[in-house]
Amino acid sequence: MNVLSRAFRVLILLAAPVAIALPASAQQATAEPSIPPAQALQTGDEVPWLYEGSNVPVDREWLFGEMDNGLRYAVRRNGVPPGQVSIRVRIDAGSLHERDEEQGFAHLLEHLLFRESKYLGQAEAIAAWQRLGATFGSDANAETSPTHTAYKLDIPNVDRAKLIESFRLLSGMIREPVLSEANVAAERPIVLAEKRERGGAAERVSDFTRRTFFAGQRLAERNPIGTVETLNAANAASVQGFYDRWYRPENTVIVVAGDAPAELLAGLVEQWFGDWQGTGPAGEAPDFGDPVAPADATIPAGSDLPLGEIGVVVEPDLPRNLTYAVMRPWRPVQDTIVYNEGLLLDALAQQIINRRLETRARAEAASSMRRCSRTTSRVRPTRPLSVSHRSPPTGRPRSPTSAR
Protein backbone atom coordinates (compact mmCIF):
# COMPACT_ATOMS: atom_id res chain seq x y z
CA MET A 1 0.00 0.00 0.00
CA ASN A 2 2.84 2.37 0.91
CA VAL A 3 4.72 1.43 -2.26
CA LEU A 4 1.67 2.11 -4.35
CA SER A 5 1.11 5.37 -2.52
CA ARG A 6 4.70 6.53 -3.12
CA ALA A 7 4.55 5.45 -6.74
CA PHE A 8 1.35 7.40 -7.14
CA ARG A 9 2.99 10.48 -5.66
CA VAL A 10 5.88 10.13 -8.10
CA LEU A 11 3.47 9.93 -10.98
CA ILE A 12 1.73 13.06 -9.73
CA LEU A 13 5.02 14.93 -9.49
CA LEU A 14 6.06 13.82 -12.95
CA ALA A 15 2.70 14.75 -14.36
CA ALA A 16 2.56 18.07 -12.52
CA PRO A 17 4.49 20.09 -15.11
CA VAL A 18 2.13 18.78 -17.77
CA ALA A 19 -0.88 19.52 -15.64
CA ILE A 20 0.37 23.03 -15.00
CA ALA A 21 1.24 23.59 -18.61
CA LEU A 22 -2.15 22.54 -19.91
CA PRO A 23 -4.12 25.48 -18.50
CA ALA A 24 -1.51 27.86 -19.89
CA SER A 25 -1.71 26.32 -23.34
CA ALA A 26 -5.49 26.17 -23.13
CA GLN A 27 -5.59 29.80 -22.06
CA GLN A 28 -3.37 30.73 -24.97
CA ALA A 29 -5.63 28.81 -27.34
CA THR A 30 -8.76 30.61 -26.05
CA ALA A 31 -7.20 34.08 -25.86
CA GLU A 32 -8.67 34.85 -29.26
CA PRO A 33 -12.22 33.41 -29.15
CA SER A 34 -13.79 32.91 -32.54
CA ILE A 35 -16.41 35.29 -33.91
CA PRO A 36 -18.39 33.76 -36.76
CA PRO A 37 -18.56 35.78 -39.97
CA ALA A 38 -21.76 37.72 -40.54
CA GLN A 39 -24.29 35.99 -42.79
CA ALA A 40 -27.09 38.59 -42.95
CA LEU A 41 -25.22 41.56 -44.42
CA GLN A 42 -27.10 43.39 -47.16
CA THR A 43 -24.48 43.71 -49.88
CA GLY A 44 -24.25 44.24 -53.63
CA ASP A 45 -27.47 45.50 -55.21
CA GLU A 46 -29.59 44.67 -52.16
CA VAL A 47 -31.16 47.81 -50.71
CA PRO A 48 -30.25 48.23 -47.02
CA TRP A 49 -33.24 48.24 -44.70
CA LEU A 50 -32.65 51.87 -43.73
CA TYR A 51 -32.88 53.01 -47.37
CA GLU A 52 -36.00 51.13 -48.43
CA GLY A 53 -38.28 53.49 -50.37
CA SER A 54 -35.58 56.19 -50.42
CA ASN A 55 -33.54 57.71 -53.21
CA VAL A 56 -30.97 59.16 -50.80
CA PRO A 57 -27.51 57.82 -51.74
CA VAL A 58 -26.42 54.94 -49.50
CA ASP A 59 -23.59 55.72 -47.10
CA ARG A 60 -21.16 52.92 -47.93
CA GLU A 61 -19.17 53.47 -44.73
CA TRP A 62 -21.98 51.63 -42.94
CA LEU A 63 -22.76 47.93 -43.18
CA PHE A 64 -26.40 46.95 -42.81
CA GLY A 65 -27.96 43.61 -41.99
CA GLU A 66 -31.38 42.10 -41.38
CA MET A 67 -31.48 38.65 -39.80
CA ASP A 68 -34.06 35.92 -40.28
CA ASN A 69 -35.63 36.73 -36.91
CA GLY A 70 -36.36 40.30 -38.07
CA LEU A 71 -33.67 42.10 -36.08
CA ARG A 72 -31.99 44.88 -38.06
CA TYR A 73 -28.54 46.28 -37.46
CA ALA A 74 -26.06 48.84 -38.76
CA VAL A 75 -22.32 48.83 -38.00
CA ARG A 76 -19.41 51.07 -38.93
CA ARG A 77 -15.74 51.40 -38.20
CA ASN A 78 -14.97 54.81 -36.71
CA GLY A 79 -11.61 55.55 -35.17
CA VAL A 80 -12.60 58.79 -33.43
CA PRO A 81 -12.23 58.67 -30.51
CA PRO A 82 -9.61 55.93 -30.79
CA GLY A 83 -10.11 52.72 -28.86
CA GLN A 84 -13.82 53.24 -28.20
CA VAL A 85 -16.91 51.38 -29.40
CA SER A 86 -20.48 52.61 -28.94
CA ILE A 87 -23.45 50.23 -28.92
CA ARG A 88 -27.08 51.28 -29.09
CA VAL A 89 -30.02 48.88 -28.80
CA ARG A 90 -33.43 50.34 -29.59
CA ILE A 91 -36.68 48.55 -28.80
CA ASP A 92 -39.64 49.98 -30.72
CA ALA A 93 -41.85 50.14 -27.64
CA GLY A 94 -42.43 53.01 -25.25
CA SER A 95 -45.21 54.51 -23.16
CA LEU A 96 -47.56 54.72 -26.16
CA HIS A 97 -47.52 50.93 -26.39
CA GLU A 98 -48.68 50.42 -22.81
CA ARG A 99 -52.22 49.38 -21.96
CA ASP A 100 -54.10 51.59 -19.51
CA GLU A 101 -53.16 49.31 -16.61
CA GLU A 102 -49.52 49.19 -17.77
CA GLN A 103 -48.67 52.89 -17.63
CA GLY A 104 -45.04 53.22 -16.59
CA PHE A 105 -44.16 49.61 -17.43
CA ALA A 106 -41.83 50.47 -20.33
CA HIS A 107 -39.73 52.62 -18.01
CA LEU A 108 -39.95 50.14 -15.13
CA LEU A 109 -38.75 47.41 -17.47
CA GLU A 110 -35.76 49.55 -18.43
CA HIS A 111 -34.76 49.53 -14.76
CA LEU A 112 -35.35 45.80 -14.40
CA LEU A 113 -33.05 44.91 -17.30
CA PHE A 114 -30.17 46.43 -15.34
CA ARG A 115 -31.30 44.71 -12.14
CA GLU A 116 -30.72 41.06 -13.04
CA SER A 117 -30.38 39.06 -16.24
CA LYS A 118 -28.97 35.81 -17.64
CA TYR A 119 -25.29 36.66 -17.16
CA LEU A 120 -25.62 39.23 -14.34
CA GLY A 121 -26.81 38.52 -10.82
CA GLN A 122 -28.84 40.95 -8.73
CA ALA A 123 -27.32 44.45 -8.76
CA GLU A 124 -24.15 43.25 -10.53
CA ALA A 125 -24.56 45.38 -13.67
CA ILE A 126 -22.78 48.49 -12.37
CA ALA A 127 -19.70 46.56 -11.23
CA ALA A 128 -19.64 44.56 -14.48
CA TRP A 129 -19.66 47.63 -16.69
CA GLN A 130 -17.05 49.30 -14.49
CA ARG A 131 -14.73 46.32 -14.98
CA LEU A 132 -15.07 46.93 -18.71
CA GLY A 133 -14.17 50.59 -18.20
CA ALA A 134 -17.70 51.99 -18.63
CA THR A 135 -19.05 54.42 -16.03
CA PHE A 136 -22.66 53.66 -15.16
CA GLY A 137 -24.84 56.64 -16.01
CA SER A 138 -22.55 58.24 -18.57
CA ASP A 139 -21.16 55.27 -20.52
CA ALA A 140 -23.91 52.75 -19.68
CA ASN A 141 -27.45 54.06 -19.53
CA ALA A 142 -30.93 53.86 -21.05
CA GLU A 143 -33.91 56.04 -21.88
CA THR A 144 -37.63 55.52 -22.33
CA SER A 145 -39.73 57.72 -24.60
CA PRO A 146 -43.32 57.50 -25.85
CA THR A 147 -42.18 55.55 -28.92
CA HIS A 148 -39.09 53.56 -27.90
CA THR A 149 -36.71 52.35 -25.22
CA ALA A 150 -32.99 52.65 -25.98
CA TYR A 151 -30.01 51.09 -24.20
CA LYS A 152 -26.63 52.79 -24.55
CA LEU A 153 -23.14 51.48 -23.95
CA ASP A 154 -19.80 53.19 -24.66
CA ILE A 155 -16.74 51.00 -24.12
CA PRO A 156 -13.34 52.73 -23.76
CA ASN A 157 -9.93 51.10 -24.38
CA VAL A 158 -11.67 48.34 -26.24
CA ASP A 159 -10.13 45.03 -27.25
CA ARG A 160 -11.52 41.79 -28.62
CA ALA A 161 -12.21 40.28 -25.20
CA LYS A 162 -14.02 43.41 -23.98
CA LEU A 163 -16.16 43.48 -27.10
CA ILE A 164 -17.22 39.86 -26.72
CA GLU A 165 -17.97 40.28 -23.02
CA SER A 166 -19.98 43.46 -23.65
CA PHE A 167 -22.14 41.79 -26.28
CA ARG A 168 -22.60 38.76 -24.02
CA LEU A 169 -23.80 40.83 -21.06
CA LEU A 170 -25.95 43.08 -23.22
CA SER A 171 -27.61 40.14 -24.96
CA GLY A 172 -28.48 38.63 -21.60
CA MET A 173 -30.07 41.90 -20.46
CA ILE A 174 -32.15 42.35 -23.60
CA ARG A 175 -33.09 38.73 -24.24
CA GLU A 176 -33.36 37.16 -20.79
CA PRO A 177 -33.94 39.59 -17.94
CA VAL A 178 -35.05 38.10 -14.63
CA LEU A 179 -38.49 39.63 -14.05
CA SER A 180 -39.18 38.19 -10.62
CA GLU A 181 -41.46 39.48 -7.87
CA ALA A 182 -38.39 40.33 -5.79
CA ASN A 183 -36.85 42.41 -8.57
CA VAL A 184 -40.10 44.25 -9.32
CA ALA A 185 -40.50 45.01 -5.63
CA ALA A 186 -36.90 46.27 -5.45
CA GLU A 187 -37.16 48.60 -8.46
CA ARG A 188 -40.67 49.93 -7.81
CA PRO A 189 -39.68 52.37 -5.01
CA ILE A 190 -36.76 53.62 -7.13
CA VAL A 191 -39.11 54.48 -9.99
CA LEU A 192 -41.66 56.04 -7.62
CA ALA A 193 -38.89 58.16 -6.10
CA GLU A 194 -37.88 59.26 -9.58
CA LYS A 195 -41.50 60.24 -10.24
CA ARG A 196 -41.62 62.31 -7.03
CA GLU A 197 -38.38 64.08 -7.90
CA ARG A 198 -39.74 65.02 -11.31
CA GLY A 199 -42.99 66.35 -9.92
CA GLY A 200 -42.02 70.04 -9.82
CA ALA A 201 -43.34 73.08 -11.61
CA ALA A 202 -41.57 72.30 -14.90
CA GLU A 203 -43.04 68.78 -14.96
CA ARG A 204 -46.54 70.10 -14.27
CA VAL A 205 -46.26 72.57 -17.13
CA SER A 206 -44.90 69.85 -19.40
CA ASP A 207 -47.80 67.51 -18.57
CA PHE A 208 -50.32 70.30 -19.04
CA THR A 209 -48.84 71.29 -22.40
CA ARG A 210 -48.82 67.68 -23.61
CA ARG A 211 -52.47 67.19 -22.63
CA THR A 212 -53.42 70.38 -24.46
CA PHE A 213 -51.35 69.73 -27.57
CA PHE A 214 -52.45 66.12 -27.92
CA ALA A 215 -56.02 66.33 -26.66
CA GLY A 216 -58.00 63.36 -27.95
CA GLN A 217 -54.85 61.35 -28.67
CA ARG A 218 -53.16 58.55 -26.79
CA LEU A 219 -50.08 60.65 -26.06
CA ALA A 220 -52.08 63.10 -23.94
CA GLU A 221 -52.16 60.60 -21.05
CA ARG A 222 -48.97 58.64 -21.66
CA ASN A 223 -46.16 60.11 -19.59
CA PRO A 224 -43.32 57.52 -19.64
CA ILE A 225 -42.93 57.71 -15.86
CA GLY A 226 -46.42 56.21 -15.41
CA THR A 227 -48.86 56.64 -12.53
CA VAL A 228 -48.58 55.76 -8.85
CA GLU A 229 -51.56 53.40 -9.15
CA THR A 230 -50.24 51.37 -12.09
CA LEU A 231 -46.71 51.19 -10.69
CA ASN A 232 -47.95 49.97 -7.31
CA ALA A 233 -50.06 47.34 -9.08
CA ALA A 234 -47.14 46.05 -11.19
CA ASN A 235 -46.06 42.47 -10.55
CA ALA A 236 -43.82 39.92 -12.19
CA ALA A 237 -46.57 38.47 -14.40
CA SER A 238 -47.85 41.81 -15.70
CA VAL A 239 -44.37 43.16 -16.45
CA GLN A 240 -43.46 39.86 -18.13
CA GLY A 241 -46.56 40.21 -20.28
CA PHE A 242 -45.46 43.64 -21.52
CA TYR A 243 -41.95 42.32 -22.15
CA ASP A 244 -43.17 39.31 -24.14
CA ARG A 245 -45.35 41.45 -26.41
CA TRP A 246 -42.75 44.07 -27.27
CA TYR A 247 -39.20 42.86 -26.54
CA ARG A 248 -38.80 40.84 -29.70
CA PRO A 249 -36.16 40.74 -32.44
CA GLU A 250 -38.51 42.19 -35.05
CA ASN A 251 -38.95 45.27 -32.83
CA THR A 252 -35.20 45.72 -32.28
CA VAL A 253 -32.52 47.75 -34.03
CA ILE A 254 -28.84 47.56 -33.00
CA VAL A 255 -26.33 50.20 -34.08
CA VAL A 256 -22.61 49.80 -33.39
CA ALA A 257 -19.84 52.21 -34.33
CA GLY A 258 -16.26 52.36 -33.12
CA ASP A 259 -12.63 51.49 -33.45
CA ALA A 260 -13.06 47.91 -34.67
CA PRO A 261 -13.59 46.27 -38.07
CA ALA A 262 -17.20 46.62 -39.20
CA GLU A 263 -17.33 42.96 -40.27
CA LEU A 264 -16.30 41.89 -36.77
CA LEU A 265 -19.01 44.09 -35.21
CA ALA A 266 -21.60 42.59 -37.56
CA GLY A 267 -20.45 39.10 -36.59
CA LEU A 268 -20.88 39.89 -32.90
CA VAL A 269 -24.42 41.18 -33.41
CA GLU A 270 -25.38 37.99 -35.25
CA GLN A 271 -23.55 35.73 -32.79
CA TRP A 272 -25.37 37.05 -29.72
CA PHE A 273 -28.76 38.01 -31.17
CA GLY A 274 -29.17 35.80 -34.25
CA ASP A 275 -31.04 32.96 -32.50
CA TRP A 276 -33.29 35.23 -30.43
CA GLN A 277 -37.00 34.45 -30.80
CA GLY A 278 -39.98 36.21 -29.29
CA THR A 279 -42.26 34.56 -26.75
CA GLY A 280 -46.00 34.37 -27.33
CA PRO A 281 -48.07 36.63 -29.60
CA ALA A 282 -46.49 39.90 -30.71
CA GLY A 283 -48.07 43.18 -29.66
CA GLU A 284 -50.08 45.22 -32.14
CA ALA A 285 -49.10 48.87 -32.43
CA PRO A 286 -51.89 51.10 -31.09
CA ASP A 287 -53.66 53.79 -33.09
CA PHE A 288 -51.93 56.98 -32.06
CA GLY A 289 -54.75 59.11 -33.45
CA ASP A 290 -54.83 62.55 -35.07
CA PRO A 291 -54.98 66.04 -33.52
CA VAL A 292 -58.51 66.86 -32.44
CA ALA A 293 -59.81 70.44 -32.51
CA PRO A 294 -62.52 71.57 -30.07
CA ALA A 295 -66.06 71.08 -31.32
CA ASP A 296 -66.66 74.85 -31.46
CA ALA A 297 -63.27 75.71 -32.99
CA THR A 298 -63.15 78.77 -35.24
CA ILE A 299 -61.88 78.44 -38.79
CA PRO A 300 -60.18 81.66 -39.93
CA ALA A 301 -61.13 83.17 -43.28
CA GLY A 302 -59.06 81.85 -46.14
CA SER A 303 -58.03 78.70 -44.25
CA ASP A 304 -59.47 75.24 -43.71
CA LEU A 305 -57.52 74.72 -40.49
CA PRO A 306 -59.43 75.25 -37.22
CA LEU A 307 -58.02 77.21 -34.34
CA GLY A 308 -57.40 75.02 -31.33
CA GLU A 309 -57.88 75.66 -27.66
CA ILE A 310 -55.92 77.80 -25.26
CA GLY A 311 -54.71 76.33 -22.01
CA VAL A 312 -53.55 78.42 -19.05
CA VAL A 313 -51.40 77.31 -16.14
CA VAL A 314 -49.85 79.51 -13.46
CA GLU A 315 -46.54 78.55 -11.83
CA PRO A 316 -45.07 81.42 -9.78
CA ASP A 317 -41.57 79.88 -9.81
CA LEU A 318 -41.28 79.78 -13.61
CA PRO A 319 -40.67 82.57 -16.13
CA ARG A 320 -43.50 83.68 -18.36
CA ASN A 321 -43.90 81.41 -21.34
CA LEU A 322 -46.15 81.50 -24.39
CA THR A 323 -46.20 78.53 -26.76
CA TYR A 324 -48.09 78.43 -30.04
CA ALA A 325 -48.07 75.25 -32.07
CA VAL A 326 -49.42 74.05 -35.41
CA MET A 327 -50.37 70.40 -35.00
CA ARG A 328 -50.03 68.08 -37.98
CA PRO A 329 -51.12 64.42 -38.17
CA TRP A 330 -48.29 61.91 -38.23
CA ARG A 331 -48.19 59.92 -41.44
CA PRO A 332 -45.56 57.51 -42.79
CA VAL A 333 -43.26 59.24 -45.26
CA GLN A 334 -40.62 58.11 -47.70
CA ASP A 335 -37.18 59.38 -46.75
CA THR A 336 -36.50 60.86 -50.18
CA ILE A 337 -34.32 63.76 -51.29
CA VAL A 338 -37.42 65.91 -51.82
CA TYR A 339 -38.67 65.13 -48.31
CA ASN A 340 -35.31 66.12 -46.81
CA GLU A 341 -35.28 69.31 -48.88
CA GLY A 342 -38.62 70.16 -47.29
CA LEU A 343 -37.15 69.60 -43.83
CA LEU A 344 -34.25 71.88 -44.77
CA LEU A 345 -36.67 74.62 -45.89
CA ASP A 346 -38.55 74.32 -42.58
CA ALA A 347 -35.29 74.64 -40.67
CA LEU A 348 -34.20 77.67 -42.70
CA ALA A 349 -37.57 79.34 -42.19
CA GLN A 350 -37.29 78.85 -38.45
CA GLN A 351 -33.80 80.28 -38.41
CA ILE A 352 -35.08 83.37 -40.22
CA ILE A 353 -37.87 83.76 -37.66
CA ASN A 354 -35.40 83.24 -34.82
CA ARG A 355 -33.04 85.91 -36.10
CA ARG A 356 -35.83 88.44 -36.54
CA LEU A 357 -37.16 87.79 -33.06
CA GLU A 358 -33.69 87.92 -31.55
CA THR A 359 -32.91 91.21 -33.32
CA ARG A 360 -36.12 92.75 -32.03
CA ALA A 361 -35.53 91.37 -28.54
CA ARG A 362 -32.05 92.92 -28.39
CA ALA A 363 -33.43 96.23 -29.60
CA GLU A 364 -36.07 96.30 -26.86
CA ALA A 365 -33.94 95.00 -24.01
CA ALA A 366 -31.22 92.40 -24.27
CA SER A 367 -32.02 90.77 -20.95
CA SER A 368 -35.82 91.06 -20.83
CA MET A 369 -36.96 88.82 -23.61
CA ARG A 370 -36.04 85.61 -25.31
CA ARG A 371 -38.01 84.33 -28.24
CA CYS A 372 -37.36 81.24 -30.21
CA SER A 373 -39.03 78.90 -32.64
CA ARG A 374 -38.53 75.22 -32.75
CA THR A 375 -39.83 72.17 -34.56
CA THR A 376 -40.32 69.03 -32.51
CA SER A 377 -40.40 65.79 -34.47
CA ARG A 378 -39.44 63.36 -31.71
CA VAL A 379 -43.04 62.41 -30.98
CA ARG A 380 -44.39 60.06 -33.57
CA PRO A 381 -48.17 60.74 -33.49
CA THR A 382 -47.98 64.38 -34.62
CA ARG A 383 -45.51 66.86 -36.02
CA PRO A 384 -45.97 70.11 -34.10
CA LEU A 385 -44.46 73.34 -35.32
CA SER A 386 -44.24 75.69 -32.36
CA VAL A 387 -43.14 79.24 -31.69
CA SER A 388 -42.37 80.11 -28.08
CA HIS A 389 -41.87 83.34 -26.19
CA ARG A 390 -40.40 83.45 -22.71
CA SER A 391 -39.80 86.39 -20.38
CA PRO A 392 -38.08 86.38 -16.99
CA PRO A 393 -40.21 86.64 -13.83
CA THR A 394 -41.24 90.16 -12.79
CA GLY A 395 -43.37 91.65 -10.04
CA ARG A 396 -46.41 91.45 -12.29
CA PRO A 397 -48.61 88.35 -12.62
CA ARG A 398 -47.08 85.70 -14.85
CA SER A 399 -48.55 85.35 -18.29
CA PRO A 400 -50.02 81.94 -19.11
CA THR A 401 -48.55 78.98 -20.85
CA SER A 402 -50.76 78.38 -23.84
CA ALA A 403 -50.85 75.59 -26.31
CA ARG A 404 -52.40 74.63 -29.60
Side-chain angles (χ1 to χ4, degrees):
M1 187 67 172
N2 290 335
V3 174
L4 288 174
S5 178
R6 293 192 192 97
F8 185 64
R9 291 194 194 103
V10 172
L11 286 173
I12 291 177
L13 290 174
L14 290 174
V18 179
I20 294 171
L22 282 176
S25 61
Q27 185 177 8
Q28 184 176 1
T30 60
E32 294 292 332
S34 63
I35 299 173
Q39 303 295 322
L41 286 173
Q42 296 172 313
T43 58
D45 296 332
E46 187 176 2
V47 178
W49 57 267
L50 186 63
Y51 290 85
E52 293 175 356
S54 174
N55 61 355
V56 175
V58 176
D59 185 347
R60 297 298 178 184
E61 295 296 323
W62 287 89
L63 297 181
F64 298 90
E66 183 168 3
M67 295 187 286
D68 292 340
N69 60 6
L71 187 146
R72 294 153 290 162
Y73 67 82
V75 296
R76 173 178 178 164
R77 179 160 202 162
N78 179 38
V80 181
Q84 178 170 310
V85 169
S86 296
I87 306 172
R88 301 292 184 267
V89 180
R90 172 188 163 117
I91 307 294
D92 286 334
S95 60
L96 285 173
H97 299 80
E98 299 163 345
R99 296 169 179 168
D100 289 343
E101 67 275 13
E102 294 175 334
Q103 292 187 55
F105 279 25
H107 178 243
L108 175 61
L109 191 53
E110 171 204 315
H111 281 246
L112 287 166
L113 263 64
F114 283 96
R115 179 77 185 177
E116 185 180 4
S117 56
K118 180 177 181 178
Y119 303 113
L120 291 168
Q122 286 191 355
E124 290 181 359
I126 295 178
W129 297 125
Q130 287 176 340
R131 285 196 300 271
L132 294 169
T135 302
F136 192 80
S138 58
D139 299 324
N141 210 332
E143 66 174 21
T144 303
S145 80
T147 58
H148 72 269
T149 306
Y151 298 87
K152 310 173 182 181
L153 176 62
D154 296 328
I155 315 164
N157 304 315
V158 74
D159 55 29
R160 190 183 183 94
K162 275 189 178 182
L163 267 178
I164 294 174
E165 180 67 0
S166 298
F167 270 92
R168 186 179 76 92
L169 298 181
L170 198 56
S171 72
M173 288 173 53
I174 301 297
R175 297 177 51 172
E176 298 185 61
V178 178
L179 305 178
S180 64
E181 294 290 357
N183 286 338
V184 172
E187 289 298 326
R188 180 188 293 112
I190 298 174
V191 175
L192 288 171
E194 185 177 339
K195 180 176 176 61
R196 287 193 298 272
E197 292 171 0
R198 291 183 181 183
E203 182 75 6
R204 290 192 294 271
V205 170
S206 175
D207 287 343
F208 178 85
T209 304
R210 189 185 65 257
R211 289 193 297 269
T212 307
F213 277 173
F214 303 105
Q217 296 176 261
R218 192 178 185 87
L219 183 59
E221 303 299 332
R222 282 297 187 275
N223 189 327
I225 198 65
T227 69
V228 173
E229 293 75 18
T230 55
L231 290 171
N232 279 329
N235 56 46
S238 58
V239 175
Q240 185 73 55
F242 181 85
Y243 173 89
D244 289 344
R245 293 201 314 275
W246 299 111
Y247 275 66
R248 311 173 67 89
E250 63 269 28
N251 291 337
T252 303
V253 173
I254 299 178
V255 180
V256 189
D259 198 4
E263 293 80 3
L264 181 142
L265 299 175
L268 283 167
V269 173
E270 295 191 16
Q271 180 181 20
W272 291 102
F273 292 89
D275 60 349
W276 181 22
Q277 299 295 326
T279 301
E284 294 184 7
D287 181 4
F288 298 140
D290 289 343
V292 179
D296 56 350
T298 302
I299 300 179
S303 173
D304 58 352
L305 300 177
L307 293 177
E309 61 190 82
I310 295 177
V312 179
V313 62
V314 177
E315 290 289 352
D317 295 333
L318 295 181
R320 292 175 295 181
N321 181 63
L322 172 67
T323 301
Y324 169 81
V326 178
M327 307 303 294
R328 304 171 181 171
W330 181 88
R331 295 291 183 270
V333 297
Q334 298 296 333
D335 188 30
T336 63
I337 294 174
V338 171
Y339 173 72
N340 282 278
E341 287 175 346
L343 295 180
L344 178 60
L345 288 175
D346 283 349
L348 289 173
Q350 290 175 79
Q351 289 297 323
I352 292 172
I353 295 172
N354 277 337
R355 292 200 175 199
R356 290 180 177 176
L357 292 175
E358 289 168 3
T359 300
R360 183 171 179 179
R362 292 192 191 98
E364 293 177 356
S367 62
S368 67
M369 189 179 299
R370 178 166 63 87
R371 295 182 175 99
C372 66
S373 73
R374 69 180 184 274
T375 296
T376 304
S377 58
R378 292 180 297 171
V379 178
R380 184 180 180 187
T382 56
R383 294 183 57 215
L385 172 64
S386 61
V387 178
S388 300
H389 159 67
R390 298 186 65 186
S391 300
T394 66
R396 297 171 292 175
R398 275 70 176 173
S399 62
T401 295
S402 65
R404 207 174 59 141

